[in-house]
Amino acid sequence: MFKKILIANRGEIALRVIRTCKEMGINTVAVYSEADKESLHVRFADEAVCIGPAQSAKSYLNIPSIIAAAEITNSDAIHPGYGFLAENSKFSAICDGHKIKFIGASPEMIDGMGDKAQAKATMAKAGVPTIPGSDGLLKDVKDAKKVAKKIGYPVMLKATAGGGGKGMRIVWEEDNMQKHWDSATQEAGASFGNDGMYLEKFLEDPRHIEIQIAGDSYGMVCHLSERDCSIQRRHQKLVEETPSPFMTEKLRIKMGKAAVKAGKAVSYEGVGTVEFLVDKNRDFYFMEMNTRIQVEHPVTEEVINYDLIKEQIKIAAGIPISGKDHFPTSCAVECRINAEDPLNDFRPSPGKITNLHIPGGHGVRVDSHIYAGYTIPPYYDSLVAKLITTAQTREEAMKTMERALSEFVIEGIKTTIPFHLQLLRNPEFRKGNYTTKFMESFTITEE
Ligand code: MV4
């Protein structure tokens, strides 16, 4: 087992990793930017190294600084958390070149899954259902029109380097193909330095349901059930839950098998997520595969009683997984509490937390790095806490969530707590009756 792990991240996920390392008897090294001197991850780790100024590009994305910090502290592994360098193939390769174990995917896996058209082709070949569309990349707009005519409008143009909605366009009729082609390729080129596009049938009102998987160095792959992440706004997830209210026992087995097939097709090593779109007939299609630990991993941990970070570290150290699939034994929901003003288009609201009360009690988990007197810097993402509640039934988990949200006091900044309280009072959400379109029509009002 590793003796010392450097955590190349900040905020709640840095704390989350440090906590598991402590329980496993592994020493920890925090890295921090000049803006994060007073952060809890710095205080909770055994050692801490400043890696640069506030801007991420000069600190949390600064590969030479992070490698130097790992070398001077004699770290034998690096955990990248999510975001920042978690899916950076160059970083994964550089760690390897320095004999530092990268607790994440290999460079080849990251590149193979990062190219969406290639990932889709790999999965289709392995027999995982994919959405009908172009056979790989499109040559030009003429090719796009030809494929679209064959499969029928509406279609979706997607950047192969995309994800998170960038370089993605819905095209309803051939007359609009040219203008969407031009703007999507231009956006993808500017954002990713890669303007490759593919095309597929547009699914009109899907659910986003993802399957957690784990694979070890001996070729064993298992699934750890689903998370429903359909409640999103501008491709930012707001609430996640497991089980999905749309799930059936039969569908879970089918999707679980498909996710394991996806993992085995690429000899997946580590914990990962296979994202699917699910239509109203419960037909499901591979969308993307994430090769990192995700923000919403705690809902899975709660319902299968399993530490995913511990599993990730064990797999990286070459310990085999049990190989058993895991099914939910309870219901969990996570609300992302962001430093944003929900009444003002979710505009970021950084600043000093003047007063704080964190909820607790039965069935309540809070993953957060904030404390009273802490100042949320403006440089990074706005997640300040993940509030997770667990109970025997979905309705009880929702009731506990309402209770916990109403106990939560964060003063000095605006947060998304009032949004979550209103969402929980929405009858359709409460019935589990929602798709990825839900947030388009949901409006938050002043209390
Ligand atoms: C789609 C789709 C409908 N049809 N693909 C959005 C992010 C990117 N990773 C894939 N996305 C979508 N792909 C086809 N063929 C609808 C979306 C989509 C979406 C997916 C999941 C969660 C929220 C979403 C919000 C808008 C669009």
Side-chain angles (χ1 to χ4, degrees), residues 35 62 74 81 99 137 236 253 275 333 358 387 399 416 443:
N62 184 340
N74 247 319
K99 302 271 183 295
L137 291 184
Q236 293 296 317
I253 287 167
E275 296 184 351
V333 56
I358 290 178
L387 176 57
K399 284 207 170 89
T416 51
T443 47

Side-chain angles (χ1 to χ4, degrees), residues 159-177:
T160 194
K166 269 237 176 87
M168 197 175 86
R169 299 288 185 279
I170 307 169
V171 189
W172 291 92
E173 52 188 9
E174 187 173 293
D175 286 355
N176 294 332
M177 182 64 87

Side-chain angles (χ1 to χ4, degrees), residues 131 156 158 200-203 232 235 277 287-288 436:
I131 303 170
M156 204 165 210
K158 291 183 170 185
E200 58 192 30
K201 184 89 190 155
F202 174 61
L203 301 185
Q232 307 198 1
H235 303 291
L277 289 179
M287 186 165 53
E288 288 175 22
T436 52

Side-chain angles (χ1 to χ4, degrees), residues 26-273:
I26 300 167
N27 290 313
T28 53
V29 180
V31 294
Y32 64 100
S33 73
E34 283 166 15
D36 278 342
K37 276 203 296 286
E38 308 297 328
S39 289
L40 278 193
H41 76 283
V42 172
R43 286 203 239 167
F44 280 20
D46 298 304
E47 295 168 75
V49 182
C50 183
I51 49 164
Q55 307 96 291
S56 305
K58 296 184 172 170
S59 49
Y60 298 105
L61 293 171
N62 184 340
I63 296 176
S65 272
I66 293 167
I67 296 291
E71 304 251 74
I72 57 170
T73 55
N74 247 319
S75 300
D76 39 24
I78 294 183
H79 195 299
Y82 51 70
F84 295 125
L85 299 168
E87 286 164 297
N88 184 308
S89 58
K90 286 204 185 99
F91 185 60
S92 175
I94 290 166
C95 288
D96 197 47
H98 285 77
K99 302 271 183 295
I100 300 163
K101 180 70 188 176
F102 177 71
I103 305 175
S106 68
E108 298 75 26
M109 187 77 67
I110 294 172
D111 287 336
M113 293 299 117
D115 185 305
K116 310 298 176 199
Q118 189 187 327
K120 184 180 172 181
T122 304
M123 294 312 164
K125 197 173 154 222
V128 180
T130 57
I131 303 170
S134 60
D135 203 4
L137 291 184
L138 296 160
K139 286 195 283 290
D140 49 29
V141 68
K142 214 179 110 197
D143 192 18
K145 285 180 182 173
K146 198 180 94 190
V147 179
K149 182 166 253 161
K150 204 177 117 207
I151 62 171
Y153 287 87
V155 298
M156 204 165 210
L157 271 175
K158 291 183 170 185
T160 194
K166 269 237 176 87
M168 197 175 86
R169 299 288 185 279
I170 307 169
V171 189
W172 291 92
E173 52 188 9
E174 187 173 293
D175 286 355
N176 294 332
M177 182 64 87
Q178 183 75 55
K179 76 169 187 208
H180 288 310
W181 172 270
D182 290 344
S183 75
T185 50
Q186 134 74 28
E187 187 174 301
S191 312
F192 316 117
N194 173 358
D195 65 0
M197 303 293 295
Y198 66 106
L199 176 155
E200 58 192 30
K201 184 89 190 155
F202 174 61
L203 301 185
E204 283 205 38
D205 199 12
R207 285 170 173 80
H208 171 139
I209 301 178
E210 56 188 32
I211 307 283
Q212 178 73 54
I213 61 164
D216 65 19
S217 356
Y218 311 94
M220 187 71 89
V221 180
C222 66
H223 80 77
L224 310 170
S225 294
E226 81 281 3
R227 294 184 286 263
D228 196 316
C229 306
S230 300
I231 303 289
Q232 307 198 1
R233 183 182 171 278
R234 299 191 184 158
H235 303 291
Q236 293 296 317
K237 293 170 187 166
L238 298 167
V239 176
E240 307 93 353
E241 64 173 310
T242 182
S244 165
F246 196 62
M247 192 50 74
T248 62
E249 268 179 62
K250 233 174 94 187
L251 181 62
R252 183 176 295 114
I253 287 167
K254 267 174 78 178
M255 290 182 73
K257 276 192 176 146
V260 168
K261 199 186 261 186
K264 284 197 169 149
V266 295
S267 306
Y268 194 75
E269 221 184 292
V271 302
T273 301

Side-chain angles (χ1 to χ4, degrees), residues 225-412:
S225 294
E226 81 281 3
R227 294 184 286 263
D228 196 316
C229 306
S230 300
I231 303 289
Q232 307 198 1
R233 183 182 171 278
R234 299 191 184 158
H235 303 291
Q236 293 296 317
K237 293 170 187 166
L238 298 167
V239 176
E240 307 93 353
E241 64 173 310
T242 182
S244 165
F246 196 62
M247 192 50 74
T248 62
E249 268 179 62
K250 233 174 94 187
L251 181 62
R252 183 176 295 114
I253 287 167
K254 267 174 78 178
M255 290 182 73
K257 276 192 176 146
V260 168
K261 199 186 261 186
K264 284 197 169 149
V266 295
S267 306
Y268 194 75
E269 221 184 292
V271 302
T273 301
V274 187
E275 296 184 351
F276 293 100
L277 289 179
V278 184
D279 70 16
K280 58 180 188 304
N281 304 318
R282 292 194 171 80
D283 286 325
F284 61 89
Y285 307 92
F286 172 83
M287 186 165 53
E288 288 175 22
M289 175 152 168
N290 301 317
T291 59
R292 59 171 190 278
I293 190 80
Q294 289 188 266
V295 177
E296 60 271 25
H297 77 275
V299 291
T300 299
E301 296 188 321
E302 294 307 310
V303 304
I304 66 172
N305 206 358
Y306 190 101
D307 181 337
L308 280 166
I309 303 285
K310 188 176 186 178
E311 204 60 19
Q312 207 181 11
I313 294 169
K314 282 167 67 181
I315 292 167
I319 297 169
I321 60 172
S322 82
K324 281 205 307 277
D325 295 333
H326 288 252
F327 294 89
T329 58
S330 55
C331 299
V333 56
E334 170 178 282
C335 289
R336 296 193 188 188
I337 316 292
N338 291 327
E340 293 170 0
D341 181 1
L343 287 170
N344 240 312
D345 205 30
F346 290 77
R347 183 194 306 164
S349 174
K352 185 168 174 170
I353 295 171
T354 53
N355 189 25
L356 178 69
H357 176 75
I358 290 178
H362 186 62
V364 177
R365 167 174 171 181
V366 180
D367 278 20
S368 177
H369 59 295
I370 63 174
Y371 56 87
Y374 175 66
T375 299
I376 295 151
Y379 309 99
Y380 315 108
D381 86 16
S382 60
L383 185 72
V384 293
K386 301 189 302 202
L387 176 57
I388 304 109
T389 61
T390 309
Q392 280 309 303
T393 66
R394 180 176 190 268
E395 183 51 28
E396 287 172 295
M398 294 295 165
K399 284 207 170 89
T400 304
M401 181 58 80
E402 276 190 298
R403 187 271 290 172
L405 282 165
S406 67
E407 279 178 18
F408 218 142
V409 177
I410 307 178
E411 284 173 5

